[in-house]
């Protein structure tokens, strides 16, 4: 059952601030799922999830292949009986300010600054559904 994005409880939101390896699921052009481990940040106020990655990655290619309206994706995490999934539409952003903001958010959540990477881009997800139990 989907959760109300306007009324996510404190435990669910806290779970998205803890350090957890997440997964990102994108669809390949043939429709098969591509699931990879990633770091994710979630801003519930703007309903935006962010994944920083290399511009030559398969996940970026999958999102770009969906065209200008973006790709349907899901990010998820779990720990024991707690789990959370965010679904939405993703686009790839390359603007330095957007990528820098995503790197800052990543450092806040994961407690470390990623190594510099001139090929870093941002997969930005407009969240349309939340599921889980935080």
């Amino acid at each position: 059952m989907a959760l109300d994005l306007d009324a996510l409880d404190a435990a669910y939101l806290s779970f998205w601030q803890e350090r957890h390896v997440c997964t990102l699921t994108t669809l390949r052009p043939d429709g098969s799922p591509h699931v990879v481990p990633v770091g994710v940040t979630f801003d519930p106020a703007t309903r935006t999830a962010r994944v920083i990655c290399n511009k030559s990655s398969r996940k970026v290619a999958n999102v770009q292949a969906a065209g200008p309206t973006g790709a349907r994706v899901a990010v998820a995490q779990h720990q024991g009986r707690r789990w959370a999934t965010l679904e939405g539409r993703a686009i790839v952003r390359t603007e330095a300010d957007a990528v820098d903001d995503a790197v800052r958010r990543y450092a806040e959540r994961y407690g470390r600054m990623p190594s510099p990477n001139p090929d870093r881009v941002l997969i930005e997800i407009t969240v349309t559904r939340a599921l889980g139990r935080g």
Side-chain angles (χ1 to χ4, degrees), residues 58-92:
R58 167 50 45 195
K59 56 189 161 285
V60 167
N62 289 344
V63 170
Q64 290 174 325
T69 61
R72 298 288 305 168
V73 302
V75 290
Q77 63 182 17
H78 71 72
Q79 180 185 43
R81 297 178 63 130
R82 298 186 309 159
W83 65 278
T85 299
L86 302 171
E87 299 176 358
R89 193 160 295 277
I91 60 170
V92 175

Side-chain angles (χ1 to χ4, degrees), residues 16-119:
W16 278 106
Q17 294 174 342
E18 297 170 12
R19 184 181 177 155
H20 295 286
V21 173
C22 303
T23 59
L24 169 68
T25 303
T26 60
L27 297 177
R28 295 181 185 98
D30 70 2
S32 63
H34 177 70
V35 183
V36 294
V38 294
V40 176
T41 62
F42 176 46
D43 180 351
T46 62
R47 296 184 181 178
T48 304
R50 294 171 176 87
V51 176
I52 55 174
C53 52
N54 195 295
K55 69 181 180 183
S56 63
S57 67
R58 167 50 45 195
K59 56 189 161 285
V60 167
N62 289 344
V63 170
Q64 290 174 325
T69 61
R72 298 288 305 168
V73 302
V75 290
Q77 63 182 17
H78 71 72
Q79 180 185 43
R81 297 178 63 130
R82 298 186 309 159
W83 65 278
T85 299
L86 302 171
E87 299 176 358
R89 193 160 295 277
I91 60 170
V92 175
R93 300 204 43 201
T94 59
E95 306 91 341
D97 60 334
V99 174
D100 290 347
D101 178 59
V103 167
R104 179 189 57 77
R105 291 170 187 271
Y106 176 97
E108 284 177 12
R109 180 175 186 191
Y110 290 96
R112 68 172 195 83
M113 183 62 73
S115 301
N117 179 355
D119 293 329

Side-chain angles (χ1 to χ4, degrees), residues 1-12:
M1 179 162 70
L3 304 174
D4 182 349
L5 284 167
D6 291 321
L8 297 172
D9 67 38
Y12 189 85

